[in-house]
Amino acid sequence: MAKLTILIALVAALVLVVHTSASRSSQQSCKSQLQQVNLNHCENHIIQRIQQQEEEEEGRARLRGIKHVIRRNRSSQESEELDQCCEQLNELNSQRCQCRALQQIYENQSEQCQGRQEEQLLEQELENLPLGLVGFGPLPQV
C-alpha cells in the first residue's frame, strides 16, 4: 500500500512537471509566433472601419451618390483587409495566442486614438472580428 501511494505521488509530480513545461513551451511558442506574424492587415482593417464610422457620424460626404461610391470601394478594400487579417490570425496555433495578437493590436492602436470615443470604436471593432474567438469577452481597459 505504501508503494502504491509513493507511485501515485510520483505520477502526480510527473504530470505537474510535464504540464508546467508544456505551458511554458506554449507561451514561448506564442511569443515567437507573434513576433513572426505580420498583423498589418488587421490593424489596417480596424483603422479603416474606425475612419468610416467617424466619417458617417460627422456626415462629411455631401452627396449620397458620392457617399455610395466611396462606401462600395471601401467595402471591397475592407473585405480584402479582413480576409487577410483572418489569414494572419489563423497562422497562430491557438485561440489564446490569437487573443494575445488582438491585445497587441489594441495596445498598438490605442496609443494613436484621439479620445475615448475612438478607443471605444477600436474595442468594438476588435470584438467584432469574425474569428471564432467567442468566450474571450471584452478587451482589457488600458
Side-chain angles (χ1 to χ4, degrees), residues 40 44 51 68 79 86-87 97 103-105 121 123 136:
N40 289 342
N44 291 339
Q51 289 173 344
H68 179 71
S79 179
C86 290
E87 286 178 21
C97 199
Q103 288 172 331
Q104 182 177 317
I105 292 169
L121 288 172
E123 291 170 7
F136 285 110

Side-chain angles (χ1 to χ4, degrees), residues 2-17:
K3 289 182 181 181
L4 182 60
T5 304
I6 292 172
L7 181 61
I8 291 173
L10 287 173
V11 169
L14 181 61
V15 167
L16 181 63
V17 168

Side-chain angles (χ1 to χ4, degrees), residues 72-138:
R72 186 184 293 165
N73 288 339
R74 280 197 180 148
S75 293
S76 173
Q77 186 177 5
E78 274 181 43
S79 179
E80 288 177 30
E81 290 286 356
L82 178 59
D83 289 346
Q84 291 174 338
C85 172
C86 290
E87 286 178 21
Q88 290 171 336
L89 289 168
N90 284 330
E91 290 178 18
L92 303 173
N93 68 359
S94 71
Q95 285 186 338
R96 175 177 237 134
C97 199
Q98 289 174 346
C99 185
R100 287 188 182 154
L102 294 178
Q103 288 172 331
Q104 182 177 317
I105 292 169
Y106 177 81
E107 290 168 7
N108 293 343
Q109 293 302 315
S110 66
E111 294 172 3
Q112 299 172 19
C113 288
Q114 297 174 354
R116 182 65 189 139
Q117 185 177 2
E118 276 190 13
E119 206 170 313
Q120 288 174 331
L121 288 172
L122 171 62
E123 291 170 7
Q124 183 180 23
E125 290 304 321
L126 283 169
E127 290 172 0
N128 289 335
L129 285 174
L131 302 172
L133 296 175
V134 177
F136 285 110

Side-chain angles (χ1 to χ4, degrees), residues 9-46:
L10 287 173
V11 169
L14 181 61
V15 167
L16 181 63
V17 168
V18 169
H19 177 71
T20 303
S21 176
S23 177
R24 284 186 191 141
S25 174
S26 174
Q27 288 174 354
Q28 290 172 347
S29 173
C30 180
K31 189 174 184 178
S32 68
Q33 287 179 47
L34 288 174
Q35 290 172 345
Q36 293 174 0
V37 73
N38 179 353
L39 298 172
N40 289 342
H41 292 290
C42 294
E43 292 187 14
N44 291 339
H45 168 73
I46 290 166

